[in-house]
Amino acid sequence: MTKDSKTTTGAAPDIFATGAKNMAAFNPMSSAALQAWSDMGAQVMQFMSSRMQQDIETQKAMLGCKSLEDVQKLQSEFFSQALKDYNTEAARLMEIMTAAMTQGFAGKAPSTKRSYDDVPL
């Protein structure tokens, strides 16, 4: 191997860091939007974990049922609770999205005023 074919790796991270800084201006998502997506993802994962745990507990309870009426009662309670949980979760996600929208658009309300040059000639 000759000396000319040797590459240096010290400059690569600097090039990538500079490129990332330059591309940040083109990022369509603000920090508020990224935080909202992160919060929503965490909330959904927590909710799904909770629902899976309730599913497993319900299945265990169903295996212990002695009659069909007990199974039907258990299923009815499970589905009504699941419906309440999903409605509550949807409301939480809407709160997160609404907070992000109000934070992201604070002071940036769209203008309805016309510009001086927007009328075609």
Side-chain angles (χ1 to χ4, degrees), residues 63-105:
L63 289 173
C65 290
K66 302 286 183 195
S67 67
L68 182 60
E69 291 82 21
D70 293 341
V71 172
Q72 289 173 338
K73 181 181 176 191
L74 192 61
Q75 281 182 333
S76 174
E77 291 170 357
F78 172 77
F79 285 121
S80 64
Q81 183 62 42
L83 185 60
K84 288 178 189 175
D85 290 346
Y86 277 101
N87 285 333
T88 303
E89 183 64 15
R92 281 190 199 127
L93 292 177
M94 284 301 293
E95 288 174 8
I96 292 171
M97 289 172 29
T98 302
M101 291 296 289
T102 57
Q103 180 185 7
F105 289 128

Side-chain angles (χ1 to χ4, degrees), residues 43-71:
Q43 182 65 36
V44 167
M45 293 301 286
Q46 180 183 7
F47 173 73
M48 292 308 296
S49 173
S50 171
R51 287 301 315 156
M52 286 179 148
Q53 185 63 34
Q54 291 175 8
D55 291 352
I56 291 169
E57 290 172 5
T58 301
Q59 289 177 5
K60 286 180 183 177
M62 287 174 71
L63 289 173
C65 290
K66 302 286 183 195
S67 67
L68 182 60
E69 291 82 21
D70 293 341
V71 172

